[in-house]
């Protein structure tokens, strides 16, 4: 079976989604939690398990909450060489559609229940349920190791690979024994068929017998219960009669004490009335005292506020006069400030003109300097263009030179060093390849008493003509060292040629010159930016020339400044102006402007400063005058507001006094002051007299115990009610028990018990006969199965070998496993340590379960019974190294079958080669 695509609509939280899967290879379906990954596996199972009219809770659970829609699933797959398109919708607008394309191209279609039955038939015909459950790992089951002994495709595959027959006996005998065994037992060892029905018949007969016996026991219990209820009813009736006499006695006592309680209630009522009357008279007295106090207090307040009002009105008139004087002084200072501002503007115009002339001179000098700087920039740029050396190239040259030194040092340490010296008259000739001489060039022949030190990385031939020839050859490592030296020298020469220098020292010197030229260039450019920071000097020169040409024709002599009179002092709060009239203040004297404007900038600036000083002094006087006017205005407003408030408070006090006097007179018209005190005294005497009478009546109530009689009577009535209820309950229970006894007598329970015992004995005898035959069939089947299990150990070797081959790619060559009778991994050996599976770490168990399933998939991948391998949320307990090895294994497993992985952690599978990643969005 190969799954090609799944489409889900209105399935749990999935509105509409289609996932297409490659028929071969490893596919990783990635999505966040609750995005619907596990729903894909669930949907594929439901579409083959349940028809569209199913009422199963599994169907109701997948319907979106609160939505009246029908969950729908469409699966496209290959099954037994046929291409199937299977669509099913539940609950609302139910439908089932199946389309099959045969290998020869013929197309067939079914709908409704026929489509469901055909799809179910094909699925069970071509998909082994044990293999399907073994290779589909649901969420949270990644640690469960598979036990695939009952998977028929796997058994067929290992049998074909091992060449061992499955059975330990002939197939007809096995079939016959198995057929006889299955008459009485299921494959799981539970009773079935006639044997199971016999067991149920025995249980039913024993149950009937037990029910008959129980019915007889219940009759005996009802007899005993009726006797006990009759005795209890008699006892309760007697106690009820005695208690009713006690209730009548309490009722007589209550009637005798009710008269005393009524008299006490009447006295209490009169006491409460007298107490309320006393409280009213006390409130009247307190209110009269309050009115007298208010009249006295308001009289004093009215006199005081009247005096304050007169004083406030006097102060307000004085403040208004002071404000008028301050505003007049402020107007004079404003005129003085305007005159001083005119003088400042004229001085500023003259200073601006002189500054423009000075700026023009400065710009002309700056333009000349700018020409020199740009010439320096061009010269430095020319030098830098000719230099090919930079910091990176020099660093590379130094690294290459260091590599040459290191390679030659390694060559000297790793190759033979030969020392040759000529001692006699015969010449000594030197030749060969891969020769180095630390003293210089290798000589072709040594003179008398000459010597040479040689490093041999290739071959050295020492010859004395006509006498001896010695050949020295270096080992294989020498050739590698020589090639490293040659490579390092070649790289150094290439870099020197690129830099255009003869050695590293020359490159450093050229780099130093480049740095000097660069510094000069940067300095010149900084100077150029500084000179042109305000713009091109030529443009500014043109603007200033044009401006000065126009300004020279428009010069005019300044106007004379009019005389400003001095500010006179003002009375009241404006007395601070008196300081302006001091002998040292000359601002208010006559001011005569100079006869002509100064031609030098310093003189013009001096005149401008003097004009600005005069303006500043005028502004100071203006601020002082404004401050004084503001203070006078604020004081006038405050005094006027104070006068208004004093007038309002005085009027309110007068109104309150009049109201208090009017309230006092009204109260006196009803009851004068002496009558109020007399009424309170009389009410106090009345309360005291009533309280003495109430005390005497309460003593009589206590002596008679009148307050307790009502409670005792209520308690007695409650007990009587409880006894009545208990008597009625016992009477009803006795009647019910007697009715059951009468009915039992009519039913003939004794006869039913005897018949049940007889039938139970007959059924047990028949079951015992079937049990003996069933036990015999099971013993034969178990004996034959044991022999088959012995043969099974022989054909488990292909699966074991496949698991070990896959495991060694993860754990190394020391990995081994052992399988039990169910072909499940029972033990693992790694680096000589053999442990049961249960003793392994959580991560190791999960990895072993994945390896085992991949091995099973590999064995059955070529047969028609193959199914996809599905992992839902696996590899949660593996470290980084194991994830890399398991990922490579998953990638290779995809070459032989269809591997589907569902995960919310894609980083776990980043090492799976050639994997297809499918992203599910929420």
């Amino acid at each position: 079976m190969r799954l090609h695509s799944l489409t889900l609509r209105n399935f749990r939280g999935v509105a509409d989604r289609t996932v297409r899967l490659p028929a071969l290879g490893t596919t990783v379906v990635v999505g966040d939690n609750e995005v619907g990954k596990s729903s894909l596996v669930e949907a594929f199972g439901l579409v083959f398990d349940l028809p569209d009219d199913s009422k199963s809770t599994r169907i109701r659970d997948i319907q979106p909450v609160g939505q009246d829609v029908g969950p729908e699933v469409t699966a496209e797959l290959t099954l037994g060489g046929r291409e199937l398109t299977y669509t099913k919708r539940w609950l609302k607008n139910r439908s089932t559609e199946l389309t099959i394309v045969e290998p020869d191209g013929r197309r067939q279609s079914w709908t409704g229940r026929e489509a469901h039955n055909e799809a179910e038939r094909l699925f069970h015909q071509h998909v082994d349920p044990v293999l399907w459950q073994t290779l589909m790992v649901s969420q949270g089951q990644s640690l469960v190791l598979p036990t695939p002994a009952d998977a028929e495709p796997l058994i067929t595959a290992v049998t074909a690979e091992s060449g061992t027959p499955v059975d330990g006996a002939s197939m007809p005998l096995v079939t016959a024994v198995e057929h006889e065994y299955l008459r009485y037992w299921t494959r799981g060892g539970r009773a079935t068929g006639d044997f199971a029905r016999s067991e149920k018949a025995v249980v039913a007969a024993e149950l009937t017998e037990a029910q008959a016996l129980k019915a007889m026991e219940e009759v005996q219990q009802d007899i005993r219960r009726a006797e006990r209820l009759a005795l209890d009813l008699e006892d309760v009736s007697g106690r009820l009669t005695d208690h009713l006499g006690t209730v009548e006695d309490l009722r007589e006592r209550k009637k005798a004490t009710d008269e005393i309680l009524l008299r006490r209630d009447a006295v209490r009522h009169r006491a409460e009335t007298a107490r309320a009357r006393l409280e009213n008279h006390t409130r009247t007295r307190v209110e009269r005292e309050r009115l007298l106090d208010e009249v006295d207090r308001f009289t004093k307040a009215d006199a005081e506020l009247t005096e304050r009002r007169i004083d406030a009105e006097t102060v307000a008139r004085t403040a208004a006069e002071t404000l008028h004087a301050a505003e007049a002084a402020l107007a004079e200072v404003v005129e003085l400030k305007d005159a001083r501002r005119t003088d400042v503007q004229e001085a500023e115009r003259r200073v601006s003109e002189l500054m423009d002339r000075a700026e023009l001179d400065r710009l002309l000098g700056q333009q000349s300097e700018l020409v020199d700087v740009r010439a320096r920039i061009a010269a430095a740029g020319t030098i830098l263009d000719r230099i090919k050396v930079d910091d990176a190239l020099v660093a590379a040259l130094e690294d290459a030179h260091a590599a040459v030194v290191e390679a030659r040092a390694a060559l000297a340490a790793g190759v033979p060093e030969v020392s040759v010296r000529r001692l006699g008259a015969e010449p000594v000739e030197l030749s060969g390849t891969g020769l180095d001489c630390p003293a210089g060039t290798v000589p072709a022949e040594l003179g008398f008493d000459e010597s040479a030190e040689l490093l041999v990385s290739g071959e050295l031939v020492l010859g004395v003509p006509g006498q001896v020839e010695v050949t020295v050859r270096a080992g294989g490592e020498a050739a590698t060292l020589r090639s490293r030296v040659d490579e390092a020298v070649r790289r150094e020469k290439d870099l020197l040629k690129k830099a255009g220098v003869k050695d590293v020292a020359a490159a450093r010197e050229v780099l130093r010159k480049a740095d000097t030229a660069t510094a000069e260039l940067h300095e010149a450019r900084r100077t150029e930016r500084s000179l042109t920071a305000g713009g091109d000097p030529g443009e500014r020169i043109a603007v200033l020339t044009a401006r000065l040409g126009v300004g020279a024709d428009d010069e005019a002599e300044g106007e004379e400044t009019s005389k400003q009179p001095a500010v006179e002092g003002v009375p009241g709060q404006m007395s601070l102006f008196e300081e302006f009239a001091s002998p040292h203040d000359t601002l208010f004297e006559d001011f005569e402007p100079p006869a002509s404007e100064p031609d030098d900038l310093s003189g013009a600036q001096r005149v401008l400063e003097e004009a600005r000083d005069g303006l500043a002094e005028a502004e100071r006087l203006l601020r002082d005058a404004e401050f004084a006017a503001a203070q006078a205005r604020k004081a006038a407003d405050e005094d006027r507001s104070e006068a208004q408030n004093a007038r309002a408070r005085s009027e309110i006090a007068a109104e309150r006094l009049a109201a208090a006097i009017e309230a006092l007179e009204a109260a006196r018209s009803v009851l004068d002051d002496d009558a109020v005190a007399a009424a309170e005294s009389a009410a106090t005497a009345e309360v005291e007299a009533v309280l003495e009478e109430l005390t005497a009546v309460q003593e009589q109530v206590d002596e008679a115990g009148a307050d307790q009689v009502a409670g005792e009577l209520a308690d007695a009535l409650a007990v009587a009610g409880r006894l009545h209820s208990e008597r009625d309950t016992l009477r009803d229970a006795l009647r019910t028990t007697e009715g059951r006894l009468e009915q039992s007598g009519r039913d003939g329970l004794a006869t039913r018990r005897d018949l049940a015992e007889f039938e139970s004995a007959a059924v047990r005898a028949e079951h015992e006969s079937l049990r003996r035959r069933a036990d015999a069939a099971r013993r034969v089947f178990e004996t034959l199965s044991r022999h088959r299990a012995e043969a099974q150990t022989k054909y488990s070797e292909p699966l074991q070998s496949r698991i070990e081959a896959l495991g060694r790619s993860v754990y190394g060559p020391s990995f081994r496993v052992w399988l039990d009778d169910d072909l499940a991994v029972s033990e693992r050996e790694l680096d000589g340590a053999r442990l049961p599976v249960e003793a392994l770490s959580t991560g190791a168990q999960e990895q072993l379960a994945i390896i085992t399933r991949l091995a099973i998939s590999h064995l059955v991948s070529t047969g028609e019974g193959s199914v996809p391998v599905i992992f839902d949320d696996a590899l949660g307990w593996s470290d980084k190294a194991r994830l890399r090895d398991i990922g490579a294994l998953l990638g290779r497993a995809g070459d032989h079958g269809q591997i589907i992985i569902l995960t919310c952690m894609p980083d776990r599978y980043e090492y799976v080669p050639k994997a297809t990643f499918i992203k599910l969005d929420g």
Side-chain angles (χ1 to χ4, degrees):
M1 181 182 71
R2 290 291 182 265
L3 181 60
H4 303 304
S5 74
L6 271 175
T7 299
L8 278 64
R9 296 184 181 90
N10 301 318
F11 195 100
R12 294 193 185 276
V14 179
D16 191 345
R17 172 179 294 140
T18 298
V19 178
R20 302 196 178 277
L21 304 167
L24 191 66
T26 303
T27 304
V28 182
V29 181
V30 181
D32 297 334
N33 291 330
E34 300 184 3
V35 79
K37 302 184 300 298
S38 299
S39 296
L40 296 173
V41 181
E42 182 183 11
F44 187 75
L46 288 176
V47 78
F48 283 99
D49 288 349
L50 301 177
D52 56 23
D53 58 353
S54 173
K55 306 299 182 183
S56 172
T57 56
R58 295 170 61 191
I59 297 301
R60 291 195 295 272
D61 290 343
I62 65 175
Q63 184 181 33
V65 177
Q67 299 184 31
D68 187 19
V69 295
E72 181 179 338
V73 177
T74 298
E76 296 181 6
L77 64 155
T78 299
L79 195 61
R82 301 176 177 88
E83 296 180 3
L84 277 69
T85 301
Y86 192 24
T87 301
K88 186 174 290 186
R89 184 167 58 246
W90 295 271
L91 299 179
K92 189 175 180 64
N93 299 327
R94 302 191 308 270
S95 67
T96 303
E97 299 176 1
L98 174 64
T99 301
I100 298 178
V101 179
E102 298 289 344
D104 57 3
R106 289 184 297 108
R107 180 183 297 269
Q108 294 178 284
S109 298
W110 290 265
T111 59
R113 176 63 73 166
E114 293 181 353
H116 172 79
N117 294 339
E118 181 65 17
E120 186 177 39
R121 183 188 68 79
L122 290 173
F123 188 81
H124 290 298
Q125 177 182 351
H126 296 286
V127 176
D128 183 77
V130 176
L131 181 63
W132 171 246
Q133 293 298 325
T134 298
L135 298 185
M136 183 181 66
V137 183
S138 301
Q139 194 170 31
Q141 296 182 344
S142 61
L143 299 179
V144 179
L145 269 74
T147 55
D150 294 331
E152 187 64 28
L154 176 63
I155 300 303
T156 302
V158 297
T159 301
E161 187 163 332
S162 64
T164 303
V166 177
D167 304 294
S170 63
M171 291 303 296
L173 176 61
V174 172
T175 303
V177 170
E178 184 176 10
H179 181 268
E180 182 66 17
Y181 172 80
L182 293 178
R183 284 185 58 194
Y184 306 103
W185 308 96
T186 65
R187 294 189 181 276
R190 294 189 300 273
T192 186
D194 293 339
F195 185 46
R197 285 190 292 273
S198 176
E199 283 186 342
K200 292 179 181 179
V202 170
V203 172
E206 291 176 347
L207 178 61
T208 302
E209 181 182 5
Q211 289 174 346
L213 293 174
K214 183 178 179 182
M216 290 299 298
E217 291 177 358
E218 289 176 353
V219 170
Q220 297 297 327
Q221 291 175 1
D222 285 343
I223 294 173
R224 291 191 295 272
R225 185 181 298 110
E227 294 173 352
R228 186 174 64 255
L229 288 173
L231 294 175
D232 293 344
L233 179 61
E234 183 180 358
D235 178 65
V236 171
S237 298
R239 285 191 288 130
L240 178 61
T241 302
D242 296 340
H243 187 72
L244 290 177
T246 304
V247 171
E248 291 300 323
D249 293 341
L250 288 173
R251 282 177 176 163
E252 293 297 327
R253 283 185 58 196
K254 187 175 183 301
K255 290 179 181 178
T257 58
D258 284 346
E259 183 180 354
I260 301 175
L261 293 175
L262 289 174
R263 188 164 62 253
R264 184 185 65 179
D265 293 341
V267 174
R268 279 180 176 174
H269 179 68
R270 286 194 290 112
E272 292 174 356
T273 303
R275 209 178 272 116
R277 190 180 297 114
L278 175 60
E279 291 176 356
N280 289 334
H281 287 299
T282 301
R283 282 196 298 271
T284 302
R285 176 184 58 77
V286 173
E287 179 65 18
R288 185 62 53 83
E289 292 176 352
R290 186 187 66 79
L291 290 173
L292 290 171
D293 181 67
E294 282 187 350
V295 169
D296 182 58
R297 182 161 49 84
F298 288 155
T299 301
K300 294 178 180 178
D302 181 60
E304 181 180 354
L305 291 174
T306 300
E307 182 179 357
R308 289 184 181 179
R309 183 190 66 184
I310 296 172
D311 294 341
E313 289 175 349
T314 302
V315 171
R317 285 193 297 272
T318 303
E321 295 173 357
T322 303
L323 175 60
H324 180 71
E327 289 177 345
L330 177 61
E332 293 180 359
V333 175
V334 170
E335 293 178 0
L336 175 62
K337 178 188 172 185
D338 292 340
R340 294 293 183 265
R341 183 181 291 110
T342 302
D343 295 342
V344 170
Q345 292 173 350
E346 183 62 26
E348 286 177 344
R349 183 193 62 76
R350 182 59 180 169
V351 169
S352 177
E353 179 182 351
L354 293 176
M355 289 181 65
D356 286 346
R357 294 185 182 277
E359 176 68 8
L360 179 60
D361 295 339
R362 185 187 65 79
L363 289 174
L364 291 173
Q366 180 178 330
Q367 189 175 31
S368 176
E369 184 179 356
L370 184 61
V371 172
D372 294 339
V373 168
R374 286 175 174 168
R376 287 166 52 198
I377 291 174
T382 302
I383 294 174
L384 290 175
D385 290 341
R386 291 198 299 264
I387 293 177
K388 301 178 181 179
V389 178
D390 55 11
D391 290 335
L393 187 56
V394 171
L397 275 171
E398 291 176 343
D399 293 341
H401 185 68
V404 171
V405 174
E406 291 176 0
R408 285 176 172 168
L411 180 65
V415 301
E417 182 178 358
V418 179
S419 178
V420 182
R421 184 176 181 184
R422 178 178 171 182
L423 299 178
E426 297 298 330
V428 177
E429 297 176 352
L430 303 176
S431 63
T433 59
L435 303 179
D436 283 330
C437 181
T441 306
V442 178
E445 183 177 338
L446 294 179
F448 178 75
D449 201 25
E450 287 183 350
S451 63
E453 303 292 336
L454 302 177
L455 296 176
V456 182
S457 59
E459 181 180 84
L460 170 64
V461 178
L462 295 167
V464 178
Q467 296 185 16
V468 67
E469 183 179 271
V470 178
T471 301
V472 179
R473 294 188 181 90
E477 181 67 19
T480 302
L481 296 175
R482 164 57 64 181
S483 64
R484 290 179 181 174
V485 172
D486 295 340
E487 176 63 23
V489 172
R490 184 194 60 77
R491 175 167 172 75
E492 183 182 21
K493 289 180 179 179
D494 290 344
L495 291 174
L496 290 173
K497 182 179 180 181
K498 180 179 178 181
V501 294
K502 63 180 181 178
D503 54 19
V504 176
R508 293 196 190 100
E509 179 63 23
V510 171
L511 182 61
R512 186 190 61 76
K513 292 179 180 180
D515 292 340
T516 303
T518 302
E520 174 67 18
L521 179 61
H522 290 168
E523 177 63 26
R525 285 178 174 169
R526 281 196 298 271
T527 304
E528 181 185 26
R529 286 195 297 270
S530 175
L531 293 174
T532 58
D536 191 356
E539 296 178 358
R540 182 66 176 163
I541 289 171
V543 172
L544 290 176
T545 302
R547 183 191 302 171
L548 291 173
V550 175
D553 298 335
D554 294 341
E555 290 183 352
E557 295 182 357
E559 298 177 358
E560 295 184 356
T561 303
S562 61
K563 296 173 59 178
Q564 300 294 336
V567 180
E568 299 179 355
V570 294
Q573 292 188 18
M574 291 299 293
S575 60
L576 59 92
F577 277 92
E578 295 176 357
E579 62 178 288
F580 300 145
S582 64
H584 303 287
D585 193 351
T586 60
L587 290 175
F588 300 98
E589 297 179 356
D590 294 342
F591 174 74
E592 295 293 339
S596 60
E597 296 179 348
D599 293 334
D600 60 322
L601 179 60
S602 59
Q605 289 177 340
R606 186 167 55 255
V607 172
L608 176 60
E609 291 298 326
E610 292 173 356
R612 285 176 176 170
D613 291 341
L615 178 60
E617 183 64 20
E619 289 176 345
R620 184 184 66 79
L621 290 175
L622 178 60
R623 287 194 299 273
D624 293 342
E626 289 174 343
F627 176 74
Q631 290 295 101
R633 190 177 297 106
K634 179 180 178 183
D637 292 341
E638 291 176 352
D639 292 342
R640 183 169 57 256
S641 176
E642 181 63 25
Q644 292 174 353
N645 292 337
R647 188 182 302 110
R649 288 194 295 270
S650 177
E651 292 174 355
I652 292 173
E655 292 175 356
R656 288 180 176 175
L657 176 59
I661 294 173
E662 182 180 356
L664 179 61
E665 293 299 330
R668 283 174 174 173
S669 65
V670 176
L671 193 65
D672 59 19
D673 298 343
D674 295 335
V676 170
E680 184 179 12
S681 298
T684 302
E686 182 184 2
V687 169
E688 292 175 353
V690 174
L691 289 177
E692 290 178 358
E693 183 180 359
L694 179 62
T695 302
V697 174
Q698 183 63 44
E699 291 176 354
Q700 295 177 3
V701 171
D702 294 339
E703 290 176 358
D707 289 331
Q708 289 78 23
V709 172
E712 293 175 358
L713 178 59
D715 293 341
L717 290 174
V719 173
R722 181 176 58 79
L723 290 174
H724 270 294
S725 176
E726 185 176 354
R727 184 190 63 183
D728 295 341
T729 301
L730 290 172
R731 185 180 296 157
D732 293 341
L734 179 59
R735 290 173 181 170
T736 302
T737 304
E738 290 174 347
R740 282 202 305 271
L741 288 172
E742 184 179 355
Q743 181 65 35
S744 299
R746 289 194 296 268
D747 290 344
L749 295 180
T751 303
R752 288 172 54 193
R753 180 194 60 189
D754 295 341
L755 289 175
E757 291 177 347
F758 176 76
E759 291 178 359
S760 177
V763 170
R764 277 197 293 269
E766 182 181 357
H767 176 68
E768 182 64 23
S769 175
L770 283 174
R771 188 185 62 78
R772 288 194 296 270
R773 292 197 296 271
D775 289 343
R778 181 165 60 182
R779 283 194 295 274
V780 174
F781 180 75
E782 289 176 350
T783 301
L784 184 58
S785 297
R786 185 171 61 254
H787 289 289
R788 293 183 67 192
E790 294 174 357
Q792 181 178 349
T793 58
K794 299 179 181 178
Y795 65 76
S796 65
E797 191 276 332
L799 178 60
Q800 179 177 348
S801 300
R802 193 62 52 88
I803 294 173
E804 290 178 348
L806 296 179
R808 284 166 184 157
S809 66
V810 176
Y811 295 100
S814 63
F815 176 82
R816 291 190 63 194
V817 295
W818 282 264
L819 306 184
D820 58 16
D821 293 340
D822 294 328
L823 298 183
V825 177
S826 60
E827 295 179 347
R828 187 207 72 178
E829 180 178 323
L830 187 63
D831 297 331
R834 182 171 176 175
L835 295 172
V837 171
E838 296 78 10
L840 300 177
S841 67
T842 304
Q845 291 185 33
E846 182 184 45
Q847 295 153 18
L848 190 56
I850 291 174
I851 291 171
T852 302
R853 289 184 171 91
L854 294 179
I856 295 170
S857 174
H858 196 180
L859 283 170
V860 303
S861 61
T862 58
E864 292 185 356
S866 65
V867 296
V869 183
I870 300 177
F871 295 108
D872 190 357
D873 195 18
L875 293 181
W877 289 275
S878 298
D879 54 43
K880 195 76 171 180
R882 290 287 183 262
L883 287 176
R884 183 182 293 105
D885 296 335
I886 292 293
L889 184 61
L890 288 170
R892 291 194 300 273
D895 296 337
H896 305 283
Q898 187 179 30
I899 311 295
I900 301 173
I901 300 171
L902 309 174
T903 182
C904 61
M905 302 291 291
D907 293 346
R908 297 177 185 171
Y909 303 95
E910 62 181 353
Y911 302 108
V912 180
K914 298 182 294 184
T916 300
F917 282 81
I918 298 176
K919 174 67 175 176
L920 300 185
D921 297 326

